[in-house]
Amino acid sequence: MERLQKVIAHSGVASRRKAEKMITDGKVRVNGKVVKELGTKVSSNDDVEVEGVPLTKEVPVYYLLYKPRGVISSVKDDKGRKVVTDFLPEVKERIFPIGRLDYDTSGILLLTNDGELANLLMHPSHEVDKVYIVKTKGIPDSEQLKKMKKGITIDGETFKAVHTKFLSSDVKKNSAIIQVILHEGKNRQIRKMFEGLGYPVDKLKRERYGSLTLQGLNAGDYRPLKPHEVKQLRQVAEENVK
């Protein structure tokens, strides 16, 4: 027997948090009856419907995609632009991205049908290192990079980097390569921080997510996560979510 919201999350229909709201909103039926109690437990013999659609429990799957630039971090786009799931046509499960990378940002993106793990990894308390390589227009100095660690406030919202490291610069092209490590993942966070310092981002790539890297992959390639990688992600997420 498992909690109803956990079963819904594992099916890939929604995150656990969204599944809980669906239950309390009366959108879930068990054996034909509406269930609004979050403590409800069900077994594999129970028939579960979410918004009138029978639930088919999928085996959890986990993938790492090297997302190219110019791709939407979504499963569909109303403007007809390429989305991340277009790169995994052979995957039959209903996978979705964990978090997102901006349209013009490349690098590691995780996809799964495990809503519970996705919810854990996207929780604000989750402190996994997300390592980015940034190419800037202009060359910031070390004092300016320190401001990113202290926090930069833009339109009333504060953005912080865990760590910054100056890697190289090209005086002729007036550009710099900088490593930035984040724990949080606010919308366009790195771009906003550098723009706040006066150094717009030319290129941005996420090259590491926790212990996961892009080794052996080209842009557009993907691979399934290994069991020990999934286990490690789950352990780190559960340790940090309070």
Side-chain angles (χ1 to χ4, degrees), residues 135-169:
K135 182 180 180 182
T136 59
K137 296 177 181 177
I139 305 173
D141 59 34
S142 59
E143 289 303 313
Q144 290 170 313
L145 294 182
K146 286 179 182 178
K147 292 179 182 178
M148 297 176 68
K149 293 178 66 177
K150 293 178 181 177
I152 297 175
T153 301
I154 301 170
D155 297 330
E157 188 173 15
T158 300
F159 302 89
K160 283 186 178 182
V162 176
H163 180 72
T164 59
K165 183 179 181 181
F166 194 95
L167 298 180
S168 65
S169 63

Side-chain angles (χ1 to χ4, degrees), residues 63-73 82-88 101-111 133 203-208 212-225:
Y63 294 95
L64 185 157
L65 170 70
Y66 185 161
K67 175 192 170 299
R69 297 175 69 186
V71 177
I72 302 293
S73 293
K82 189 175 284 290
V83 296
V84 290
T85 47
D86 290 338
F87 293 90
L88 296 88
L101 288 177
D102 295 334
Y103 181 77
D104 290 322
T105 301
S106 65
I108 289 180
L109 188 68
L110 304 180
L111 297 100
I133 300 298
K203 289 184 180 180
L204 180 59
K205 175 183 176 182
R206 182 158 73 187
E207 67 170 14
R208 185 161 65 82
L212 300 173
T213 71
L214 293 166
Q215 184 177 2
L217 299 179
N218 295 315
D221 291 346
Y222 73 93
R223 69 170 179 84
L225 291 187

Side-chain angles (χ1 to χ4, degrees), residues 25-42:
D25 286 349
K27 296 181 179 179
V28 179
R29 291 176 179 267
V30 177
N31 299 325
K33 295 181 179 180
V34 174
V35 173
K36 294 186 177 182
E37 297 294 325
L38 293 179
T40 301
K41 291 188 176 183
V42 295

